[in-house]
DNA sequence: CTTACCGCCTGTCGGC
DNA sequence: TGCCGACAGGCGGTAA
């Protein structure tokens, strides 16, 4: 469920509290998430050093120190909570990062909570981040690439796959998950099941604008995440953005008042207006 | 190469 | 009311 905007908001919140602070300890409460946790490599990369920078690439939160990098993917249900007590843990807390006290803050912990354990945690050496296997094959950032519309059009050439599945392929562009794919296609008036290669350059230009608008609006709406993030409930403000089609099957389209349809496309539930999207 | 589909995992929800 | 199966979905792996 965390898509790019949620990861961006959480990363900013974590950066604002943790950048510059020393990682005093890493506490692991189990040895695997999706995959085994590379505990030794993580300790080597992070332990006893200040966090120089915490930033996002795709849906990965990246912790940079002089000794290397830690990479965290939140999967479906992952979240980081800032807490003063290591022992006061929510169910499904799998590891914690111990942050040294500063002049302004006591010793604190970032608790990683992830009921479904679809998250991933990895590490690499200084200078190795761009070539890390999690990142090496990823497409561009939708909010950073110069001409997203042209990029999508060129990448779509000859593809018969549904345009919605194409958008969700992180090799093409990162950060567009199931929710924002439906929302962006609705805004652009493009039917999600159309073959990607049949969508015109002008349509991709409009779609690119819609993707960027949707992501930006969601980031803005998630700007209050930090308050929740600090609290114990663990709900990091998903759906703070008003969703127009996603999850709204049976409701009326805001533009033409037709009933919103739900259909499985490439194995994912997809929502659209059969009149407004062609 | 492209594309479709499965499995991982647990909480939630609908149907009976 | 309670149980059980379906479903949610990012992402890697595999098969066609």
């Amino acid at each position: 469920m965390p898509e790019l905007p949620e990861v961006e908001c959480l990363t900013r919140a974590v950066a604002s509290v943790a950048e510059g602070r020393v990682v005093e300890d890493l506490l692991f409460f189990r040895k695997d998430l999706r995959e085994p946790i590379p505990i030794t490599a993580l300790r080597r990369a992070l332990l006893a050093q200040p966090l120089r920078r915490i930033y996002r690439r795709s849906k990965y939160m990246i912790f940079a120190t002089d000794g290397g990098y830690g990479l965290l993917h939140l999967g479906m249900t992952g979240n980081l909570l800032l807490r003063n007590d290591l022992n006061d843990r929510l169910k499904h807390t799998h590891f914690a990062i111990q942050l040294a006290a500063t002049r302004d803050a006591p010793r604190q912990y970032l608790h990683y909570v992830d009921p479904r354990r679809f998250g991933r945690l990895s590490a690499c050496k200084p200078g190795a981040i761009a070539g890390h296997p999690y990142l090496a094959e990823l497409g561009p950032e939708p909010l950073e690439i110069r001409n997203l519309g042209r990029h999508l059009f060129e990448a779509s050439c000859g593809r018969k796959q549904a345009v919605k599945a194409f958008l969700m392929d992180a090799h093409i562009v990162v950060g567009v998950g199931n929710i924002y794919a439906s929302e962006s296609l609705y805004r652009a008036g493009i039917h999600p099941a159309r073959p990607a290669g049949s969508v015109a350059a002008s349509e991709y230009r409009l779609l690119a604008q819609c993707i960027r608008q949707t992501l930006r609006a969601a980031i803005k709406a998630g700007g209050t995440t930090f308050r929740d993030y600090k609290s114990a409930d663990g709900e990091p403000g998903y759906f703070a953005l008003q969703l127009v089609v996603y999850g709204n099957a049976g409701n009326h389209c805001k533009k033409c008042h037709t009933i919103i349809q739900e259909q499985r496309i490439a194995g994912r539930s997809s929502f659209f207006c059969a009149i407004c999207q062609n």
Side-chain angles (χ1 to χ4, degrees), chain A residues 178-248:
Chain A
N178 201 38
I179 295 171
Y180 295 122
S182 275
E183 292 294 313
S184 304
L185 287 163
Y186 172 77
R187 291 180 186 212
I190 298 169
H191 195 289
R194 264 177 68 186
S198 78
V199 176
S202 59
E203 292 178 298
Y204 273 119
R205 279 198 295 275
L206 176 59
L207 178 57
Q209 280 186 355
C210 293
I211 290 169
R212 293 163 67 104
Q213 267 178 16
T214 308
L215 294 177
R216 284 212 187 91
I219 289 171
K220 204 170 171 188
T224 56
T225 292
F226 194 32
R227 194 165 308 148
D228 300 332
Y229 155 78
K230 274 181 143 174
S231 79
D233 67 10
E235 199 51 50
Y238 303 147
F239 307 119
L241 180 74
Q242 186 62 40
L243 299 176
V244 189
V245 283
Y246 186 88
N248 287 335

Side-chain angles (χ1 to χ4, degrees), chain A residues 86-116:
Chain A
L86 175 63
N87 296 313
D88 181 20
R89 294 197 293 274
L90 295 181
K91 196 177 174 185
H92 306 301
T93 300
H94 305 310
F95 70 88
I97 301 171
Q98 180 174 322
L99 302 170
T102 66
R103 223 174 311 160
D104 307 316
R107 168 183 288 162
Q108 289 174 307
Y109 301 87
L110 291 166
H111 289 218
Y112 180 71
V113 182
D114 185 0
R116 290 186 204 171

